Amino acid sequence: MTTFDDNLLPHPVRALYLQMLEVALDEARLGHAEGGIPVGAALFAQDGALISRGHNRRVQEGDPSIHGETDAFRRAGRQSNYRDLVMVTTLAPCWYCSGLVRQFRIGTLVVGESRNFKGGIEWLRENGVRVIDLDNQACIDLMAGYIQGDPEVWNEDIGELPPA
């Protein structure tokens, strides 16, 4: 099992990841302003060069496959190698998006927060993906507010069935 202590990140690396997270957070806010679920993501080179960005569009486009991570991934186009890329997302990825990270062997996943939803981050860690959870308060607050305000759509997004 590969584990990584986020507190051991050198300051310049943490600062770079926080800058990357701002791009994903802008996307999450945009999705929320459009009436959607506030999850944003972006794909970067390790040096911080932006490759693509996207946000959850399930509600806006009526397409259950357009999560933040998949939107950013699709907008990146074909890449010859994903191992050296960094996927940054405002929320821990669901199983669907975790599968995408694993399938294409994206080497590093930076998560804005995992308090509101744990997703598949432990499974990704167990399978060799370097996962950094920044535990960012802006991400926590944005998602918590959305879950409280629209629990039905949130539960649909994560595949939770309503009580029978």
Side-chain angles (χ1 to χ4, degrees), residues 146-159:
Y146 182 80
I147 292 168
Q148 183 178 16
D150 206 340
E152 295 83 17
V153 174
W154 167 245
N155 284 325
E156 175 189 319
D157 189 60
I158 60 170

Side-chain angles (χ1 to χ4, degrees), residues 34-126:
E34 294 171 351
I37 300 162
V39 177
L43 202 56
F44 293 90
Q46 286 187 1
D47 66 0
L50 178 64
I51 296 170
S52 65
R53 56 195 295 161
H55 57 272
N56 188 304
R57 299 173 193 268
R58 293 184 72 253
V59 173
Q60 300 92 309
E61 296 189 19
D63 183 341
S65 70
I66 308 176
H67 291 203
E69 298 88 342
T70 60
D71 192 34
F73 181 79
R74 292 172 74 185
R75 291 170 183 270
R78 287 179 64 188
Q79 303 290 315
S80 61
N81 180 359
Y82 296 89
R83 285 186 177 106
D84 295 331
L85 299 183
V86 179
M87 173 71 79
V88 180
T89 182
T90 56
L91 182 67
C94 67
W95 287 107
Y96 169 58
C97 296
S98 293
L100 180 144
V101 169
R102 180 71 181 106
Q103 171 71 30
F104 290 93
R105 293 176 172 86
I106 295 171
T108 302
L109 174 70
V110 176
V111 174
E113 68 106 347
S114 63
R115 290 186 191 206
N116 286 297
F117 182 68
K118 296 283 184 208
I121 60 175
E122 289 308 318
W123 176 75
L124 288 168
R125 284 179 172 137
E126 289 168 3

